[in-house]
Amino acid sequence: MRRALLALVWMFASPFYLEAQITRNATQMVPSGKGHGIPAPEDTPSDDTALSYSATSGNGIAYHGGPVMLGGVKIYFIWYGNWTNGSQPSDSQTTVNLINALYGSGGAGGSGYALITSSYGDASHSVAGKFALARSTTNNYSGGKSLSDSAVQKIVSGAISSKALPKDANGLYFVLTSSDVRETSGFCSQYCGWHDHFRLSGSDIKYAFVGNPDRCPYSCEAQVTSPNDNSGADGMASAMVHETVEALSDPDLNAWYDSAGNENADKCAWKFGPTIGTIGNAAYNQTFGGKTWLIQMNWENTRKGGCAQTKGGIFYNH
């Protein structure tokens, strides 16, 4: 997301940071869902356009009129590929169990970290900051080991159409690929994860892609010696939370973002704040689901704005 540069950046930043640094020649940008802005259509409201919203704008990020995800958001996992005995040790049930803990009872959803998203809202309501794993399914390489963005969308629509997962307009569907799967639009070179939406039988479906970062540890992992002794799962954790908080506040890529097209998590990409231990040596900064994690901070839309580890906590912008 070359190698020498990534090795230097890896110690202090993350692929999300690299994504956010892509520059474009445009006075107003909109999110791509992949961590960088793209030129805005001519009719896109500018950041200084007055809009009605329930949360405060003008804290380094602005509201552009699109929907947010309200109430308790259900999370759905599609474990794509080989997650039992794959080509990397992290292609395993251990990884599945760890990610389930991150999104399960006592996990990230509803935590002080997740409540940072309650500083965002639509015309009348604030985001609740509550999300939890509702159901999972598996997919044994139905699209092969090389996936385009459209193939990822097809995997989600297939899981819903086959009733492996329910159709839920207030849900977020993750396609999680084992380390032998390539996402052809730039996994490991341009991004470590992304989110988007599409229409299915009259419903607006929100979904995200995150691959096993053991495919490219020096691009998509902050540390290979990780708090849960599973660099793939620990790298996925920060990427998945990044995409989750963005989907809550900007599910259709037209709600909350700044003039560069950065969404809330993009603005804090690869910024962790204080940690227990040294990054690179199993450092962590959050405890969710009975496990310790190194999770990037999120942009809080209050108090003039800043990157925080928890709602109302100290800002660590640098």
Side-chain angles (χ1 to χ4, degrees):
M1 221 187 57
R2 71 156 333 172
R3 177 116 185 173
L5 286 175
L6 284 173
L8 291 172
V9 173
W10 173 66
M11 296 297 293
F12 307 103
S14 105
F16 295 119
Y17 173 85
L18 293 176
E19 296 168 45
Q21 301 312 299
I22 295 175
T23 58
R24 313 275 176 150
N25 292 322
T27 56
Q28 174 70 25
M29 309 288 275
V30 296
S32 64
K34 294 181 177 178
H36 62 81
I38 56 177
E42 291 184 1
D43 60 350
T44 301
S46 66
D47 280 358
D48 57 5
T49 299
L51 294 172
S52 175
Y53 44 80
S54 63
T56 303
S57 196
N59 289 312
I61 194 166
Y63 181 54
H64 296 82
V68 296
M69 298 188 76
L70 301 173
V73 174
K74 293 182 179 178
I75 305 294
Y76 302 95
F77 292 161
I78 302 171
W79 294 95
Y80 184 95
N82 186 343
W83 286 100
T84 54
N85 57 349
S87 58
Q88 295 288 339
S90 57
D91 295 322
S92 65
Q93 186 62 45
T94 300
T95 297
V96 174
N97 293 342
L98 283 168
I99 299 302
N100 286 346
L102 178 65
Y103 279 82
S105 177
S111 66
Y113 177 91
L115 290 177
I116 293 172
T117 59
S118 67
S119 61
Y120 300 88
D122 61 14
S124 56
H125 298 90
S126 293
V127 175
K130 296 180 180 180
F131 55 87
L133 178 62
R135 191 183 300 183
S136 300
T137 189
T138 59
N139 183 309
N140 188 26
Y141 302 104
S142 67
K145 294 186 177 182
S146 183
L147 301 176
S148 63
D149 290 359
S150 60
V152 173
Q153 179 181 314
K154 185 177 179 180
I155 289 166
V156 176
S157 62
I160 297 172
S161 298
S162 68
K163 301 190 184 306
L165 297 175
K167 186 176 72 170
D168 186 350
N170 202 48
L172 175 61
Y173 299 79
F174 273 98
V175 176
L176 306 171
T177 58
S178 53
S179 64
D180 56 344
V181 177
R182 173 174 174 252
E183 215 289 16
T184 59
S185 69
F187 177 48
C188 291
S189 61
Q190 298 296 320
Y191 57 78
C192 299
W194 53 262
H195 75 100
D196 206 341
H197 71 114
F198 67 98
R199 300 292 297 181
L200 179 65
S201 302
S203 296
D204 183 34
I205 302 299
K206 295 82 172 174
Y207 70 112
F209 164 87
V210 173
N212 185 340
D214 273 350
R215 182 178 178 87
C216 49
Y218 292 97
S219 294
C220 290
E221 295 173 4
Q223 50 186 359
V224 293
T225 303
S226 64
N228 292 298
D229 196 29
N230 184 319
S231 58
D234 286 322
M236 288 177 72
S238 192
M240 291 176 68
V241 171
H242 176 117
E243 301 307 329
T244 300
V245 297
E246 288 185 343
L248 292 178
S249 61
D250 192 34
D252 290 355
L253 307 178
N254 61 359
W256 288 94
Y257 55 89
D258 67 16
S259 60
N262 293 318
E263 298 170 290
N264 54 358
D266 296 327
K267 293 175 71 66
C268 302
W270 286 90
K271 296 178 180 180
F272 299 101
T275 62
I276 306 300
T278 303
I279 293 180
N281 191 28
Y284 66 92
N285 61 0
Q286 300 283 358
T287 300
F288 301 135
K291 304 291 183 180
T292 55
W293 310 91
L294 183 65
I295 303 293
Q296 71 149 88
M297 295 184 289
N298 190 19
W299 186 268
E300 184 176 319
N301 181 41
T302 61
R303 301 176 290 154
K304 298 184 180 181
C307 296
Q309 292 178 334
T310 189
K311 185 181 180 183
I314 297 172
F315 286 155
Y316 302 96
N317 289 345
H318 304 289

